[in-house]
Amino acid sequence: MKRYLVNVWTRRSYSKWITAESEEQARKIATEAYDSEELVPDGNEEIDAIYVVDDEEVEDE
């Protein structure tokens, strides 16, 4: 499992570390977080792009 630093681009940029099994899953989780306002969107912003900009291994507990 990895942690991915995901940027969600609207009129502004939001970044969040997300633990996921793949980049695709991290993007999906970021979209869901944005839609649930966990990333605190400003008004009626729509997602223009989602980028994974970094990743790191997560040690199993």
Side-chain angles (χ1 to χ4, degrees):
M1 181 110 23
K2 288 186 175 182
R3 282 186 349 138
Y4 297 92
L5 181 59
V6 181
N7 286 343
V8 176
W9 287 82
T10 61
R11 290 184 302 193
R12 302 185 312 172
S13 174
Y14 303 92
S15 297
K16 181 175 181 134
W17 280 101
I18 296 174
T19 302
E21 294 182 12
S22 67
E23 286 188 19
E24 187 63 35
Q25 184 183 29
R27 286 185 191 96
K28 181 179 179 188
I29 292 169
T31 301
E32 292 168 356
Y34 180 85
D35 288 343
S36 71
E37 298 185 7
E38 187 176 323
L39 293 177
V40 192
D42 181 23
N44 292 326
E45 296 178 35
E46 292 187 20
I47 296 173
D48 295 322
I50 299 176
Y51 300 104
V52 174
V53 294
D54 196 8
D55 63 56
E56 61 184 31
E57 290 291 330
V58 176
E59 293 185 27
D60 294 332
E61 296 180 9

Coordinates of all heavy atoms in Angstrom, one line a residue:
M1 N 0.9 -1.2 0.0 CA 0.0 0.0 0.0 C 0.9 1.2 0.0 O 2.0 1.2 0.6 CB -0.9 0.0 1.2 CG -1.8 1.1 1.3 SD -3.6 0.9 1.1 CE -4.0 -0.7 1.4
K2 N 0.4 2.3 -0.6 CA 1.2 3.5 -0.7 C 0.3 4.7 -0.3 O -0.9 4.6 -0.2 CB 1.6 3.8 -2.2 CG 2.7 2.9 -2.7 CD 3.2 3.4 -4.0 CE 4.4 2.6 -4.5 NZ 4.8 3.0 -5.8
R3 N 1.0 5.8 0.0 CA 0.3 7.1 0.3 C 0.6 7.9 -1.0 O 1.8 8.0 -1.4 CB 0.8 7.8 1.5 CG 0.3 7.3 2.8 CD 0.7 8.0 4.0 NE 1.7 9.0 3.9 CZ 1.7 10.2 4.4 NH1 0.7 10.6 5.2 NH2 2.7 11.1 4.3
Y4 N -0.4 8.5 -1.5 CA -0.2 9.4 -2.7 C -0.6 10.8 -2.4 O -1.6 11.0 -1.7 CB -1.2 8.9 -3.8 CG -0.9 7.5 -4.3 CD1 -1.5 6.4 -3.7 CD2 0.0 7.3 -5.3 CE1 -1.2 5.1 -4.2 CE2 0.3 6.0 -5.8 CZ -0.3 4.9 -5.2 OH 0.0 3.7 -5.6
L5 N 0.3 11.7 -2.8 CA -0.1 13.1 -2.7 C -0.8 13.5 -3.9 O -0.3 13.5 -5.0 CB 1.2 14.0 -2.5 CG 1.0 15.5 -2.4 CD1 0.1 15.8 -1.1 CD2 2.3 16.2 -2.3
V6 N -2.1 13.9 -3.7 CA -3.0 14.1 -4.8 C -3.4 15.6 -4.8 O -3.8 16.2 -3.8 CB -4.3 13.3 -4.7 CG1 -5.2 13.5 -5.9 CG2 -3.9 11.8 -4.6
N7 N -3.3 16.2 -6.0 CA -3.7 17.6 -6.2 C -5.0 17.6 -6.9 O -5.1 17.0 -8.0 CB -2.7 18.5 -6.9 CG -1.5 18.8 -6.1 OD1 -1.5 18.7 -4.9 ND2 -0.4 19.2 -6.8
V8 N -6.0 18.3 -6.4 CA -7.3 18.5 -7.1 C -7.3 20.0 -7.5 O -7.2 20.9 -6.7 CB -8.5 18.2 -6.1 CG1 -9.8 18.5 -6.8 CG2 -8.4 16.8 -5.6
W9 N -7.4 20.1 -8.9 CA -7.4 21.5 -9.4 C -8.8 22.0 -9.8 O -9.5 21.3 -10.5 CB -6.5 21.5 -10.7 CG -5.1 21.4 -10.4 CD1 -4.4 20.3 -10.1 CD2 -4.1 22.5 -10.3 NE1 -3.0 20.6 -9.9 CE2 -2.9 21.9 -9.9 CE3 -4.2 23.9 -10.4 CZ2 -1.7 22.7 -9.8 CZ3 -3.1 24.6 -10.2 CH2 -1.9 24.0 -9.9
T10 N -9.1 23.1 -9.3 CA -10.3 23.8 -9.6 C -9.8 25.2 -9.9 O -8.8 25.4 -10.5 CB -11.3 23.8 -8.5 OG1 -10.8 24.5 -7.3 CG2 -11.7 22.4 -8.1
R11 N -10.5 26.3 -9.5 CA -10.0 27.6 -9.6 C -8.8 27.7 -8.7 O -7.9 28.6 -8.9 CB -11.0 28.7 -9.2 CG -12.1 28.8 -10.3 CD -13.0 29.9 -9.9 NE -13.6 29.7 -8.6 CZ -14.6 30.3 -8.0 NH1 -15.2 31.3 -8.7 NH2 -15.0 30.0 -6.8
R12 N -8.7 26.9 -7.7 CA -7.6 26.8 -6.8 C -7.1 25.4 -6.7 O -7.7 24.5 -7.4 CB -8.1 27.2 -5.3 CG -8.7 28.6 -5.3 CD -9.0 29.1 -3.9 NE -9.7 28.1 -3.2 CZ -10.0 28.3 -1.9 NH1 -9.6 29.4 -1.2 NH2 -10.7 27.4 -1.2
S13 N -6.1 25.1 -6.0 CA -5.5 23.8 -5.9 C -5.6 23.3 -4.5 O -5.4 24.0 -3.5 CB -4.0 23.8 -6.3 OG -3.5 22.5 -6.1
Y14 N -6.1 22.0 -4.3 CA -6.2 21.4 -3.0 C -5.3 20.2 -3.0 O -5.3 19.4 -4.0 CB -7.6 20.9 -2.8 CG -8.6 22.1 -2.8 CD1 -9.3 22.3 -4.0 CD2 -8.9 22.8 -1.7 CE1 -10.2 23.4 -4.1 CE2 -9.8 23.9 -1.8 CZ -10.5 24.1 -3.0 OH -11.4 25.1 -3.1
S15 N -4.5 20.0 -2.0 CA -3.6 18.8 -1.9 C -4.0 18.0 -0.7 O -4.3 18.5 0.4 CB -2.2 19.3 -1.8 OG -1.8 20.0 -2.9
K16 N -3.8 16.7 -0.8 CA -4.1 15.8 0.3 C -3.3 14.5 0.1 O -3.2 13.9 -1.0 CB -5.6 15.5 0.3 CG -6.0 14.6 1.4 CD -7.5 14.4 1.5 CE -7.9 13.5 2.6 NZ -9.0 14.0 3.4
W17 N -2.7 13.9 1.2 CA -2.1 12.6 1.2 C -3.2 11.6 1.4 O -4.1 11.7 2.3 CB -1.1 12.5 2.4 CG 0.2 13.1 2.1 CD1 0.6 14.3 2.5 CD2 1.2 12.6 1.3 NE1 1.9 14.5 2.1 CE2 2.3 13.5 1.3 CE3 1.4 11.4 0.5 CZ2 3.5 13.3 0.6 CZ3 2.6 11.2 -0.2 CH2 3.6 12.1 -0.1
I18 N -3.3 10.6 0.5 CA -4.3 9.6 0.5 C -3.6 8.2 0.5 O -2.8 8.0 -0.4 CB -5.2 9.8 -0.7 CG1 -6.0 11.1 -0.6 CG2 -6.2 8.6 -0.8 CD1 -6.8 11.4 -1.8
T19 N -4.0 7.4 1.4 CA -3.6 6.0 1.4 C -4.5 5.1 0.5 O -5.7 5.1 0.6 CB -3.6 5.4 2.8 OG1 -2.7 6.2 3.6 CG2 -3.0 4.0 2.8
A20 N -3.9 4.5 -0.5 CA -4.6 3.7 -1.5 C -3.7 2.6 -2.1 O -2.5 2.6 -1.9 CB -5.2 4.6 -2.6
E21 N -4.4 1.7 -2.8 CA -3.7 0.6 -3.4 C -3.1 1.0 -4.8 O -2.2 0.3 -5.3 CB -4.6 -0.6 -3.6 CG -4.9 -1.2 -2.2 CD -5.8 -2.4 -2.3 OE1 -5.9 -3.0 -3.4 OE2 -6.3 -2.8 -1.3
S22 N -3.6 2.1 -5.4 CA -3.2 2.5 -6.7 C -3.4 4.0 -6.9 O -4.2 4.6 -6.2 CB -3.9 1.7 -7.8 OG -5.3 2.1 -7.8
E23 N -2.8 4.6 -7.9 CA -3.0 6.0 -8.3 C -4.5 6.2 -8.6 O -5.1 7.2 -8.3 CB -2.1 6.4 -9.4 CG -0.7 6.6 -9.0 CD 0.2 7.2 -10.1 OE1 -0.4 7.8 -11.0 OE2 1.4 7.1 -10.0
E24 N -5.0 5.3 -9.4 CA -6.4 5.4 -9.8 C -7.4 5.5 -8.6 O -8.3 6.3 -8.5 CB -6.8 4.3 -10.8 CG -8.2 4.4 -11.4 CD -8.3 5.7 -12.2 OE1 -7.4 6.0 -12.9 OE2 -9.4 6.3 -12.2
Q25 N -7.1 4.6 -7.6 CA -8.0 4.6 -6.4 C -7.7 5.9 -5.6 O -8.7 6.4 -5.1 CB -7.6 3.4 -5.6 CG -8.5 3.3 -4.3 CD -8.2 2.1 -3.4 OE1 -7.0 1.7 -3.3 NE2 -9.1 1.6 -2.7
A26 N -6.5 6.4 -5.6 CA -6.2 7.6 -4.9 C -7.0 8.8 -5.6 O -7.6 9.6 -4.9 CB -4.7 7.9 -4.9
R27 N -7.0 8.8 -6.9 CA -7.8 9.9 -7.6 C -9.3 9.8 -7.3 O -10.0 10.8 -7.1 CB -7.6 9.8 -9.1 CG -6.2 10.2 -9.6 CD -6.2 10.2 -11.1 NE -4.8 10.4 -11.6 CZ -4.0 9.4 -11.9 NH1 -4.4 8.1 -11.8 NH2 -2.8 9.7 -12.3
K28 N -9.8 8.6 -7.2 CA -11.2 8.4 -6.9 C -11.5 8.8 -5.5 O -12.5 9.5 -5.3 CB -11.6 6.9 -7.1 CG -13.0 6.6 -6.8 CD -13.4 5.1 -7.0 CE -14.8 4.9 -6.7 NZ -15.2 3.5 -6.7
I29 N -10.7 8.5 -4.5 CA -10.9 8.9 -3.2 C -10.8 10.4 -3.1 O -11.6 11.1 -2.3 CB -9.8 8.2 -2.2 CG1 -10.1 6.7 -2.2 CG2 -9.8 8.9 -0.8 CD1 -9.0 5.9 -1.5
A30 N -9.9 11.1 -3.8 CA -9.7 12.5 -3.8 C -11.0 13.2 -4.3 O -11.5 14.2 -3.8 CB -8.5 13.0 -4.6
T31 N -11.6 12.6 -5.4 CA -12.8 13.1 -6.0 C -13.9 13.0 -5.0 O -14.7 14.0 -4.8 CB -13.2 12.4 -7.3 OG1 -12.1 12.5 -8.2 CG2 -14.5 12.9 -7.9
E32 N -14.0 11.9 -4.3 CA -15.1 11.7 -3.3 C -14.9 12.7 -2.1 O -15.9 13.2 -1.6 CB -15.1 10.3 -2.8 CG -15.6 9.3 -3.8 CD -15.3 7.8 -3.5 OE1 -14.7 7.5 -2.4 OE2 -15.7 6.9 -4.3
A33 N -13.6 12.9 -1.7 CA -13.4 13.8 -0.6 C -13.7 15.2 -1.0 O -14.3 16.0 -0.2 CB -11.9 13.8 -0.2
Y34 N -13.4 15.6 -2.2 CA -13.8 16.9 -2.7 C -15.3 17.1 -2.8 O -15.9 18.1 -2.3 CB -13.2 17.2 -4.1 CG -13.6 18.5 -4.7 CD1 -12.8 19.6 -4.3 CD2 -14.7 18.7 -5.5 CE1 -13.1 20.9 -4.8 CE2 -15.0 20.0 -5.9 CZ -14.2 21.1 -5.6 OH -14.6 22.3 -6.0
D35 N -16.0 16.1 -3.3 CA -17.5 16.1 -3.4 C -18.1 16.2 -2.1 O -19.2 16.8 -1.9 CB -18.0 14.9 -4.2 CG -17.7 15.0 -5.7 OD1 -17.3 16.1 -6.2 OD2 -17.7 14.0 -6.4
S36 N -17.5 15.6 -1.0 CA -18.1 15.6 0.3 C -17.7 16.8 1.1 O -17.9 16.9 2.3 CB -17.7 14.3 1.1 OG -16.3 14.4 1.4
E37 N -16.9 17.7 0.4 CA -16.4 19.0 1.0 C -15.4 18.8 2.0 O -15.1 19.6 2.8 CB -17.6 19.8 1.5 CG -18.5 20.3 0.4 CD -19.6 21.2 0.8 OE1 -19.5 21.7 2.0 OE2 -20.5 21.5 0.0
E38 N -14.8 17.6 2.1 CA -13.7 17.3 3.0 C -12.5 18.2 2.6 O -11.6 18.5 3.5 CB -13.3 15.8 2.9 CG -12.3 15.4 4.0 CD -12.0 13.9 3.9 OE1 -13.0 13.1 3.7 OE2 -10.9 13.5 4.1
L39 N -12.3 18.6 1.4 CA -11.3 19.4 0.9 C -11.7 20.9 0.9 O -10.9 21.7 0.4 CB -10.8 19.0 -0.5 CG -10.1 17.7 -0.6 CD1 -9.7 17.3 -2.0 CD2 -8.9 17.6 0.3
V40 N -12.8 21.2 1.4 CA -13.3 22.6 1.6 C -13.3 23.4 0.3 O -12.6 24.3 0.1 CB -12.5 23.4 2.7 CG1 -13.3 24.7 3.0 CG2 -12.3 22.5 3.9
P41 N -14.2 22.9 -0.7 CA -14.2 23.7 -1.9 C -14.8 25.1 -1.7 O -15.6 25.3 -0.8 CB -15.1 22.8 -2.8 CG -15.9 22.0 -1.9 CD -15.0 21.8 -0.7
D42 N -14.5 26.0 -2.6 CA -15.0 27.4 -2.5 C -16.2 27.6 -3.5 O -16.0 27.7 -4.7 CB -13.8 28.3 -2.9 CG -14.2 29.8 -2.8 OD1 -15.2 30.1 -2.1 OD2 -13.6 30.6 -3.4
G43 N -17.4 27.5 -3.0 CA -18.5 27.8 -3.8 C -18.8 26.7 -4.8 O -18.7 25.5 -4.4
N44 N -19.1 27.0 -6.0 CA -19.5 26.0 -7.0 C -18.3 25.6 -7.9 O -18.5 25.5 -9.1 CB -20.7 26.6 -7.9 CG -21.9 26.7 -7.0 OD1 -22.2 25.9 -6.2 ND2 -22.7 27.7 -7.3
E45 N -17.2 25.5 -7.4 CA -16.0 25.1 -8.2 C -16.2 23.7 -8.7 O -16.8 22.8 -8.0 CB -14.7 25.1 -7.4 CG -14.4 26.5 -6.9 CD -13.1 26.5 -6.0 OE1 -12.2 25.6 -6.3 OE2 -13.0 27.2 -5.1
E46 N -15.8 23.5 -9.9 CA -15.8 22.1 -10.5 C -14.3 21.7 -10.7 O -13.4 22.5 -10.9 CB -16.5 22.1 -11.9 CG -18.0 22.4 -11.7 CD -18.7 22.2 -13.1 OE1 -18.1 21.6 -14.0 OE2 -19.8 22.8 -13.2
I47 N -14.1 20.4 -10.6 CA -12.8 19.8 -10.8 C -12.3 19.9 -12.2 O -13.0 19.5 -13.1 CB -12.8 18.3 -10.3 CG1 -13.1 18.2 -8.8 CG2 -11.4 17.7 -10.6 CD1 -13.2 16.8 -8.3
D48 N -11.2 20.5 -12.4 CA -10.6 20.6 -13.8 C -9.6 19.5 -14.0 O -9.6 19.0 -15.1 CB -9.8 22.0 -13.9 CG -10.8 23.2 -13.9 OD1 -11.9 23.1 -14.4 OD2 -10.4 24.2 -13.3
A49 N -8.9 19.1 -13.0 CA -7.9 18.0 -13.2 C -7.5 17.5 -11.8 O -7.7 18.1 -10.8 CB -6.7 18.5 -13.9
I50 N -7.1 16.2 -11.8 CA -6.6 15.6 -10.6 C -5.2 15.0 -10.9 O -5.1 14.2 -11.9 CB -7.5 14.5 -10.0 CG1 -8.9 15.1 -9.7 CG2 -6.9 13.8 -8.8 CD1 -9.9 14.1 -9.2
Y51 N -4.2 15.3 -10.2 CA -2.9 14.8 -10.4 C -2.3 14.1 -9.2 O -2.5 14.6 -8.1 CB -1.9 15.9 -10.8 CG -2.3 16.7 -12.0 CD1 -2.9 18.0 -11.9 CD2 -2.1 16.2 -13.3 CE1 -3.2 18.7 -13.0 CE2 -2.4 16.9 -14.4 CZ -3.0 18.2 -14.3 OH -3.4 18.9 -15.4
V52 N -1.6 13.0 -9.4 CA -0.9 12.4 -8.3 C 0.6 12.9 -8.5 O 1.2 12.7 -9.5 CB -0.9 10.8 -8.4 CG1 0.0 10.2 -7.4 CG2 -2.3 10.3 -8.2
V53 N 1.1 13.6 -7.5 CA 2.4 14.3 -7.6 C 3.5 13.6 -6.9 O 4.7 13.9 -7.1 CB 2.3 15.8 -7.3 CG1 1.4 16.5 -8.3 CG2 1.8 16.0 -5.9
D54 N 3.2 12.7 -6.0 CA 4.2 12.0 -5.2 C 3.6 10.8 -4.6 O 2.3 10.7 -4.5 CB 4.7 13.0 -4.1 CG 6.0 12.5 -3.5 OD1 6.6 11.5 -4.0 OD2 6.5 13.1 -2.5
D55 N 4.4 9.8 -4.2 CA 3.9 8.7 -3.5 C 5.0 8.2 -2.6 O 6.2 8.5 -2.8 CB 3.4 7.6 -4.4 CG 4.5 7.0 -5.3 OD1 5.6 6.5 -4.8 OD2 4.3 7.0 -6.5
E56 N 4.6 7.4 -1.6 CA 5.6 6.8 -0.7 C 5.0 5.5 -0.1 O 3.8 5.4 0.0 CB 5.9 7.7 0.5 CG 4.8 8.1 1.4 CD 5.2 9.2 2.4 OE1 6.0 10.0 2.2 OE2 4.5 9.1 3.5
E57 N 5.8 4.6 0.2 CA 5.4 3.3 0.7 C 4.9 3.5 2.1 O 5.4 4.3 2.9 CB 6.6 2.3 0.7 CG 7.0 1.8 -0.7 CD 6.0 1.0 -1.4 OE1 5.2 0.2 -0.7 OE2 5.9 1.0 -2.6
V58 N 3.8 2.7 2.5 CA 3.3 2.7 3.8 C 3.6 1.4 4.4 O 3.4 0.3 3.8 CB 1.8 2.9 3.8 CG1 1.2 2.8 5.2 CG2 1.4 4.2 3.2
E59 N 4.2 1.4 5.6 CA 4.6 0.1 6.3 C 3.3 -0.5 6.8 O 2.4 0.1 7.3 CB 5.6 0.4 7.4 CG 6.9 0.9 6.9 CD 7.9 1.0 8.1 OE1 7.7 0.3 9.1 OE2 8.8 1.8 7.9
D60 N 3.3 -1.8 6.6 CA 2.1 -2.6 7.1 C 2.2 -2.6 8.7 O 3.3 -2.8 9.2 CB 2.1 -4.0 6.6 CG 1.9 -4.1 5.1 OD1 1.2 -3.2 4.6 OD2 2.4 -5.0 4.5
E61 N 1.0 -2.5 9.3 CA 1.0 -2.5 10.7 C 0.6 -3.9 11.2 O -0.1 -4.6 10.6 CB 0.0 -1.4 11.2 CG 0.4 0.0 10.9 CD -0.6 1.0 11.4 OE1 -1.5 0.6 12.1 OE2 -0.4 2.1 11.0

